[in-house]
Amino acid sequence: YSFCTLLNIKNINMKFLKPGKVVLVTAGKYAGRKGVIVQNSDSKTKERPYGSSLIAGIKKYPKKVVRGMSKARIQRRSRVGTFLRVYNHRHIFATRYNMDLSKELRGKISLADSSKKSESRRLIRKVFQARYNAGSNRWFYQKLRF
């Protein structure tokens, strides 16, 4: 028997993966990036036969800013790049942090077609940028060092 079989890991419910939970992506193109759960689905579907979550995350972290830089350069270096993607629960790692995004994003995120997805990504970028400029959730905007 494998270790996973002994622990019966296949049937674990991911009840702690709720919208607003900060996660680390562990697989794929954005591995090592931080993200926030926007929507969660514990149940299996025909399209996705596994538990999955819609993650809004940081594709490009803001760079370091020093006092001698011009305003335009500071603005450019402070830009946040975002991604929006559905992940299998096995490919994300939940952290102890939470980020309350429910007010700004409730019912506005859609992956139905490419135009709605790009519009949703723009909205997420705007929300993330406003949070970064306000100085809230500082850990979320720092690059993960490992």
Side-chain angles (χ1 to χ4, degrees):
Y1 292 110
S2 69
F3 184 69
C4 292
T5 309
L6 292 173
L7 291 178
N8 201 12
I9 285 182
K10 219 172 195 174
N11 297 328
I12 290 178
N13 281 341
M14 300 290 189
K15 295 209 188 273
F16 55 90
L17 293 176
K18 294 188 171 101
K21 176 66 84 175
V22 175
V23 296
L24 302 174
V25 179
T26 58
K29 183 179 181 178
Y30 301 114
R33 304 279 198 237
K34 293 173 191 165
V36 183
I37 296 176
V38 178
Q39 293 168 357
N40 188 40
S41 172
D42 287 326
S43 58
K44 299 175 182 179
T45 61
K46 196 166 191 138
E47 188 181 297
R48 292 194 170 87
Y50 47 83
S52 58
S53 296
L54 176 63
I55 307 290
I58 296 184
K59 178 169 41 174
K60 183 181 146 300
Y61 289 95
K63 294 180 178 167
K64 189 179 176 184
V65 171
V66 291
R67 193 172 34 194
M69 292 181 183
S70 67
K71 285 186 180 177
R73 191 167 184 194
I74 288 172
Q75 194 174 12
R76 193 170 55 248
R77 289 176 73 91
S78 298
R79 220 173 271 157
V80 178
T82 58
F83 68 87
L84 190 63
R85 187 173 255 195
V86 177
Y87 274 100
N88 186 334
H89 285 163
R90 290 170 186 235
H91 300 154
I92 56 176
F93 180 84
T95 65
R96 62 186 175 144
Y97 298 101
N98 287 304
M99 229 173 126
D100 187 36
L101 295 175
S102 59
K103 296 173 204 108
E104 295 106 336
L105 302 177
R106 187 168 303 237
K108 295 181 182 175
I109 303 300
S110 175
L111 297 178
D113 57 73
S114 60
S115 63
K116 284 186 178 177
K117 184 178 178 178
S118 62
E119 194 177 308
S120 299
R121 235 187 84 214
R122 249 181 261 121
L123 175 68
I124 285 168
R125 189 182 325 135
K126 199 168 117 184
V127 170
F128 279 4
Q129 192 69 56
R131 290 275 177 106
Y132 175 72
N133 292 343
S136 57
N137 306 102
R138 293 187 78 136
W139 177 81
F140 184 71
Y141 297 100
Q142 291 172 354
K143 202 171 189 178
L144 187 67
R145 301 282 181 194
F146 62 93

